[in-house]
Amino acid sequence: MMKKLRVNAGKGYDIIIGGGFIKSCGDYIAKITNAKKIVIITDSNVAPFYLADVLKSIESKGFETYSYIFKAGETSKTTASVINMVEFLAEKQLSRSDLVVALGGGVCGDMAGFAAAVYLRGIDFVQIPTSLLAQVDSSVGGKTAVDLPQGKNLCGAFHQPVLVLIDTDVLKTLPKHYFSDGMEEVIKYGCIKSKAFFERLERENANDFLQELIFECVNIKREVVEKDEKEAGERALLNFGHTAGHAIEKLYNFNGISHGEAVGIGMVMISAAGEKSGITEKGTSKRISDLLKKYGLKTSDSHSVEDIVAAMGSDKKRTGNGINLVMLDSIGKSFIKPTPYSEISDLFAQE
């Protein structure tokens, strides 16, 4: 059964959730573009599974199609990689009316979207997310970016897609680790916006209601993005756990720990800090930790709290004199707490 959501941001676009879109994506893309040329950007892990089907479907609609494959992994998420993509678009002489398709997980969507944002000052792009993390989170909302040596996602642009096609069938080919990785973002949505959703994740197995689960997450994100497209206020709530999580990723040089693992640890850290300070309801961090464990995710890290706090200094959420931390009153109720640098060490200090 197909589900559809409309996002009123950018030009406005549909998110279509269902099974089997990979082989029929050309039908949907043809309805929303006047492009003559389409470049599909994907990575070395996804290409062997899905590139041929996507090419065939798009070509069947009369588009001139090209594919660009980059080496899979967060370590490819650099300015140099995006410049290579942009140069490829220029070599193929794409015009302003042409289109990029991001076929892959969060890294692919972030990079292909950024390339589309800066080529000719912005051309349209379509998201076909193939990981759970990308389906429930990064493919929606128009955040595109690459990492810098100084920190994660520091070079980027807001550039909304013109269509998001979420094919739940592709999750069947995902290694267990990648499914777990996406569950961190799913759990995050329950933490910040829906106690009922969080409790359903505790009671049931996510695999048993995948389409509903994806719809719930995307719908929460849609509501937030429509209110605050450029992250001036409420959208920052989506960063729950990400300040410490990104710091942990940086300590690993973005290699050796996944985004979901790192942010899950960050959610536990900030909840525990909130409980210690009397801000967050007691027992919250344990519930989050137990749910992360249920879906095969880490809840702690070997780096010291001091090292993690020090690495937070390069976070995008920083202000002139501190960091806007996302904290919980309780499960389902979140808020933004501007915190001076001088107080961050004490907040996270373990007793």
Side-chain angles (χ1 to χ4, degrees):
M1 199 177 88
M2 193 179 83
K3 291 175 176 281
K4 188 157 96 170
L5 276 168
R6 182 78 180 166
V7 180
N8 295 306
K11 298 176 183 178
Y13 55 97
D14 289 332
I15 303 165
I16 303 172
I17 305 165
F21 289 138
I22 291 287
K23 292 186 176 175
S24 60
C25 61
D27 298 343
Y28 296 91
I29 290 168
K31 290 175 186 171
I32 53 95
T33 184
N34 296 315
K36 290 185 171 56
K37 297 178 181 179
I38 294 180
V39 170
I40 299 146
I41 296 178
T42 190
D43 70 32
S44 53
N45 285 347
V46 173
F49 285 101
Y50 304 118
L51 181 57
D53 285 336
V54 170
L55 278 169
K56 185 178 175 184
S57 181
I58 293 174
E59 283 171 348
S60 74
K61 294 297 168 183
F63 295 106
E64 191 180 323
T65 59
Y66 304 94
S67 57
Y68 181 97
I69 303 170
F70 66 92
K71 184 173 179 284
E74 184 83 26
T75 49
S76 287
K77 204 172 142 184
T78 63
T79 49
S81 297
V82 167
I83 294 301
N84 289 339
M85 288 177 185
V86 172
E87 288 178 349
F88 183 82
L89 302 180
E91 279 168 26
K92 301 307 176 191
Q93 297 183 316
L94 267 70
S95 73
R96 266 216 178 107
S97 60
D98 291 329
L99 186 75
V100 167
V101 173
L103 172 67
V107 169
C108 179
D110 277 4
M111 291 170 68
F114 189 31
V118 297
Y119 178 67
L120 298 178
R121 298 191 180 91
I123 66 171
D124 287 347
F125 84 112
V126 169
Q127 288 268 23
I128 306 181
T130 59
S131 69
L132 181 61
L133 192 149
Q135 290 188 354
V136 299
D137 190 67
S138 60
S139 67
V140 176
K143 273 190 176 182
T144 71
V146 293
D147 303 332
L148 297 179
Q150 292 80 7
K152 190 177 168 74
N153 292 337
L154 294 182
C155 181
F158 286 99
H159 190 52
Q160 299 289 345
V162 291
L163 176 69
V164 182
L165 291 174
I166 296 176
D167 184 344
T168 53
D169 287 354
V170 304
L171 300 179
K172 293 169 187 167
T173 63
L174 268 188
K176 187 169 180 285
H177 169 74
Y178 287 101
F179 188 83
S180 294
D181 209 41
M183 281 306 299
E184 169 276 316
E185 293 291 343
V186 173
I187 292 164
K188 176 197 79 176
Y189 283 113
C191 288
I192 63 168
K193 283 286 182 182
S194 176
K195 184 179 182 183
F197 183 53
F198 187 95
E199 289 175 343
R200 186 174 183 186
L201 294 169
E202 287 179 317
R203 280 195 317 273
E204 299 179 39
N205 188 316
N207 270 304
D208 297 336
F209 61 106
L210 262 183
Q211 273 198 29
E212 291 171 72
L213 175 151
I214 292 166
F215 183 89
E216 178 78 21
C217 293
V218 169
N219 196 33
I220 291 172
K221 184 155 192 183
R222 175 194 64 79
E223 289 175 355
V224 172
V225 168
E226 285 182 351
K227 287 180 195 166
D228 179 23
E229 185 182 351
K230 300 285 176 73
E231 204 172 298
E234 187 181 354
R235 185 167 179 171
L237 294 175
L238 297 170
N239 295 317
F240 177 58
H242 284 61
T243 298
H246 286 172
I248 292 165
E249 285 184 277
K250 186 183 175 190
L251 290 171
Y252 281 90
N253 293 314
F254 308 112
N255 196 6
I257 191 166
S258 70
H259 177 72
E261 288 173 331
V263 174
I265 295 163
M267 294 196 301
V268 173
M269 281 181 67
I270 192 69
S271 301
E275 287 180 49
K276 189 191 77 170
S277 307
I279 295 167
T280 303
E281 186 179 298
K282 291 285 184 196
T284 300
S285 62
K286 184 177 188 308
R287 282 184 77 183
I288 294 170
S289 179
D290 288 348
L291 193 52
L292 290 167
K293 286 175 187 170
K294 176 179 174 179
Y295 291 104
L297 284 154
K298 294 180 179 179
T299 57
S300 61
D301 187 68
S302 57
H303 287 96
S304 70
V305 172
E306 291 76 19
D307 285 346
I308 295 169
V309 168
M312 288 181 194
S314 63
D315 193 85
K316 297 191 307 306
K317 274 88 55 195
R318 68 187 184 278
T319 59
N321 57 0
I323 297 178
N324 288 333
L325 294 174
V326 183
M327 302 190 74
L328 301 183
D329 287 317
S330 57
I331 299 291
K333 291 183 179 176
S334 54
F335 67 99
I336 297 158
K337 180 176 168 57
T339 308
Y341 287 119
S342 58
E343 294 176 16
I344 288 172
S345 291
D346 285 347
L347 182 68
F348 282 96
Q350 294 173 327
E351 290 171 343

